[in-house]
């Protein structure tokens, strides 16, 4: 190809035609219609056909080659007209009909209730959640400072919105940089297994992602750049750990105790405390006897020991969840021998482009066609919104083991066929690789063949015998074999249910948050808790997503609810708001009931979504739309105001 033009204005038809070969058409057509005002571009004859419930997205929305040709021709003509007209964007279409036409082109017919949520996710024409109020105007003279615990994905979003509204805040972060889990997880092969076009803020969308599934370093840099670009870094107190928070009933304020890197403790006062500590920050080690006796090097995947050179060594990995699934293929080629201790095999969704860079044409179009990347992001988001929920929903009449409904069983068959094909010629592995639990009982992993390639290498041993104990020289399994190792890596997950671990939280009447929660944390919408006025949680209990939507979007929803709560406090002059226990009780009953009817909630399926009692403490089981609607603003009737 000849030299790339620096702008759309100087691109020739031939060049545009070449770029369009890499375009993703289901999102390109509405993007161009929005840009040019020509709604004919979202015509039925090029409408994606497979935007309904699906696990594996059909390429180009299932358009036939002829339809794709037609769409590209129209797109080229639209781009040429736009270029020749001086690259002037049309006024954003504001009518309901136009919005419906653009969005439903990608989504298929949807209830109008979805439109505000979809507009928010798209971020066009405006950032819907940007506050239209200022603290100084609502509560003149009132000092209301907020403490945010954690500068990861949720904490930064909260900080940004508070900053926009002019609410004073401090972020406390125990690490020396922002990024949360993406800072802490530095194991080889770490990358997003959700499209980064969804795993990014609606208010800070990027047109230059190098991959669709970002490397860990890329998503870490995204959060680091976000904190710089949005002016948040200077509001973060790094290497400062919150150790306690106590609600002072007389003053109606929180007294927060922090410990700095030099060990000095300090007590500070805040109007509200916002926990943004996430769910996956406390490594979980298995309760296997002898762990302390291992004489080699050992560490958890989330605390990777970069001083250990694994080349040529005998390396054991315990676990076969999302972390192991990325670690194992990345180290398999360089270690002397790899011993994978797998208790339960994972279900995997075929994703051939998992590690691929973006196609050059698509990259160029994102950079030069205004807003196209937003529509692409939107399509990624939409196809994972409510569409996949049905695959995980339990049919109470269904009795076949290994699945929870006819739809879940059909998915099981498809995924089983995929796994059997991957281990063709290795009946020993085929037998061990089909999960006994229903698809979506645990997190589904993305598969581009790398896991199977590593497991079939000569230097890899798959061990499925139960681990009896860890010895000074390795791992002893129940069949009496001692697997000798130099290094042992724990890919054994996190104590997810242990929200706010390490922080003593005392509410009204001396209530202790950890005692109140025990091993069954619950919060209304994952956000507010009775007895703890003005304590708000982000990505709190029951807000993790398995099949529908994006956790960044969910965090933004919670951020919005918290911001609206702060607005309410400032506007009414109340010092604090406390959730009524009966509101939590009826909400939690509904959530628990719904979780029990999802593949991850059924008895006999173990996963990190359940606490030790077996109740699902982590996941949101209802629709994405419902969470969006419930988090638009706090209902004053749900709270006692102090
Ligand atoms: P995990 O999914 O909880 O997996 C833990 C693994 O350790 C499981 O295979 C488990 O086996 C095994 N295990 C635990 N105790 C054991 C024992 N005593 N003996 C043998 N095996 C044992 O943890 P994770 O892989 O760290 O992933 C946690 C979550 O983090 C993911 O679900 C995902 O949400 C997130 N994550 C995301 C990404 C990404 O986006 N790219 C990457 C990594 C993690 P059983 O299944 O039999 O219990």
């Amino acid at each position: 190809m000849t030299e790339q033009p620096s702008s759309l204005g100087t691109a020739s038809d031939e060049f545009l035609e070449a770029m369009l070969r890499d375009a993703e058409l289901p999102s390109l057509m509405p993007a161009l219609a929005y840009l040019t005002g020509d709604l004919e571009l979202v015509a039925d004859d090029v409408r994606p056909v497979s935007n309904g419930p699906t696990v594996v997205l059909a390429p180009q929305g299932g358009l036939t080659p002829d339809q794709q040709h037609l769409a590209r021709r129209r797109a080229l003509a639209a781009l040429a007209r736009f270029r020749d007209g001086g690259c002037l964007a049309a006024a954003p279409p504001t009518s309901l009909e136009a919005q419906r036409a653009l969005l439903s082109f990608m989504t298929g017919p949807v209830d109008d209730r979805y439109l505000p949520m979809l507009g928010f996710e798209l971020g066009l024409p405006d950032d819907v959640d940007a506050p239209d109020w200022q603290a100084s105007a609502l509560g003149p003279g009132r000092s209301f400072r907020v403490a945010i615990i954690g500068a990861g994905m949720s904490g930064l979003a909260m900080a940004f919105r508070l900053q926009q509204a002019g609410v004073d805040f401090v972020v406390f972060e125990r690490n020396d940089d922002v990024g949360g889990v993406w800072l802490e997880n530095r194991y080889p092969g770490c990358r997003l297994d959700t499209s980064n076009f969804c795993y990014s803020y609606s208010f800070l969308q990027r047109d230059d992602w190098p991959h669709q599934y970002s490397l860990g370093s890329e998503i870490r840099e995204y959060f680091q750049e976000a904190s710089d670009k949005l002016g948040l870094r200077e509001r973060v107190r790094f290497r400062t750990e919150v150790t306690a928070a106590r609600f002072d009933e007389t003053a109606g304020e929180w007294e927060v105790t922090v410990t700095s890197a030099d060990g000095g403790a300090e007590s500070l006062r805040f109007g509200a405390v916002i926990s943004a500590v996430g769910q996956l920050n406390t490594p979980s080690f298995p309760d296997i006897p002898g762990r302390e006796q291992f004489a080699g090097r050992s560490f958890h995947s989330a605390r990777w020991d970069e001083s250990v050179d694994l080349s040529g060594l005998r390396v054991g990995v315990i676990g076969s969840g999302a972390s192991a699934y990325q670690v194992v293929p990345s180290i398999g080629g360089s270690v002397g021998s790899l011993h994978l201790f797998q208790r339960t095999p994972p279900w995997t969704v075929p994703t051939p482009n998992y590690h691929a860079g973006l196609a050059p044409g698509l990259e160029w179009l994102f950079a030069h066609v205004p807003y196209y990347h937003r529509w692409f992001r939107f399509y990624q988001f939409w196809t994972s919104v409510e569409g996949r929920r049905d695959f995980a929903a339990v049919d109470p009449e269904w009795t076949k083991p290994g699945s929870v409904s006819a739809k879940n069983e059909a998915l099981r068959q498809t995924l089983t066929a995929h796994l059997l094909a991957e281990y063709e010629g290795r009946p020993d592995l085929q037998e061990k690789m089909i999960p006994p639990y229903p698809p979506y009982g645990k997190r589904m992993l993305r598969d581009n063949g790398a896991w199977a390639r590593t497991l079939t290498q000569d230097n890899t041993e798959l061990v499925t015998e139960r681990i009896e104990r860890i010895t000074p020289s390795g791992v002893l399994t129940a069949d009496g074999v001692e697997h000798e190792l130099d290094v042992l890596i724990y890919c054994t997950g996190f104590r997810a249910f242990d929200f706010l671990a390490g922080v003593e939280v005392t509410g009204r009447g001396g209530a202790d948050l950890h005692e109140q929660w025990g091993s069954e944390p619950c919060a209304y919408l994952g956000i507010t808790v009775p007895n703890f006025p003005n304590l708000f949680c982000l990505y709190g209990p029951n807000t993790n997503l398995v099949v529908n939507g994006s956790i960044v979007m969910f965090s933004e929803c919670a951020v919005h609810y918290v911001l609206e709560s702060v607005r309410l406090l400032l506007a009414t002059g109340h010092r604090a708001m406390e959730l009524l226990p009966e509101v939590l009780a009826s909400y939690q009953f509904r959530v628990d009931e719904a979780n029990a009817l999802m593949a991850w909630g059924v008895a006999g399926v173990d996963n990190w979504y359940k606490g030790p009692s077996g109740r699902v403490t982590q996941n949101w089981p209802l629709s994405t739309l419902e969470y969006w609607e419930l988090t638009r603003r706090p209902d004053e009737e749900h709270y006692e105001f102090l």
Side-chain angles (χ1 to χ4, degrees), residues 182 187 191-193 280 286 288 318-323 326 343-344 442-443 491-494 608:
W182 296 106
Y187 57 78
R191 71 189 308 144
L192 265 174
D193 60 12
L280 301 170
I288 301 173
I318 301 182
S320 50
S323 300
Q326 296 181 330
R343 189 162 64 181
T344 318
K442 297 176 192 265
R443 186 178 170 91
C491 292
T492 44
F494 302 87
W608 67 264

Side-chain angles (χ1 to χ4, degrees), residues 228-243:
D228 292 331
K229 265 191 206 148
L230 305 175
L232 303 174
R233 189 175 283 276
E234 49 271 32
R235 311 293 297 271
V236 184
R237 278 187 59 176
F238 291 105
R239 297 199 288 151
T240 305
E241 193 153 356
V242 174
T243 54

Side-chain angles (χ1 to χ4, degrees), residues 211-334:
H211 296 94
Q212 187 163 337
Y213 302 96
S214 286
L215 297 168
S217 55
E218 289 165 355
I219 191 72
R220 183 160 63 242
E221 279 156 23
Y222 170 78
F223 289 116
Q224 288 167 337
E225 280 171 27
S227 72
D228 292 331
K229 265 191 206 148
L230 305 175
L232 303 174
R233 189 175 283 276
E234 49 271 32
R235 311 293 297 271
V236 184
R237 278 187 59 176
F238 291 105
R239 297 199 288 151
T240 305
E241 193 153 356
V242 174
T243 54
R246 168 176 290 275
F247 188 68
D248 172 344
E249 290 182 52
T250 315
E253 285 181 344
W254 283 90
E255 189 183 341
V256 175
T257 310
V258 302
T259 310
S260 311
D262 61 9
E266 216 181 318
S267 208
L268 301 154
R269 292 202 152 243
F270 294 93
V273 172
I274 301 173
S275 161
V277 297
Q279 298 196 1
L280 301 170
N281 50 38
T282 310
S284 168
F285 287 91
D287 196 10
I288 301 173
R291 209 157 55 74
E292 306 308 326
Q293 288 157 19
F294 182 60
R297 303 287 288 270
S298 68
F299 48 87
H300 189 275
S301 53
R303 301 287 182 270
W304 195 264
D305 186 342
E306 284 169 21
S307 70
V308 181
D309 179 2
L310 299 176
S311 319
L313 300 183
R314 298 166 302 175
V315 179
V317 173
I318 301 182
S320 50
S323 300
Y325 205 73
Q326 296 181 330
V327 166
V328 164
S330 308
I331 63 172
S334 59

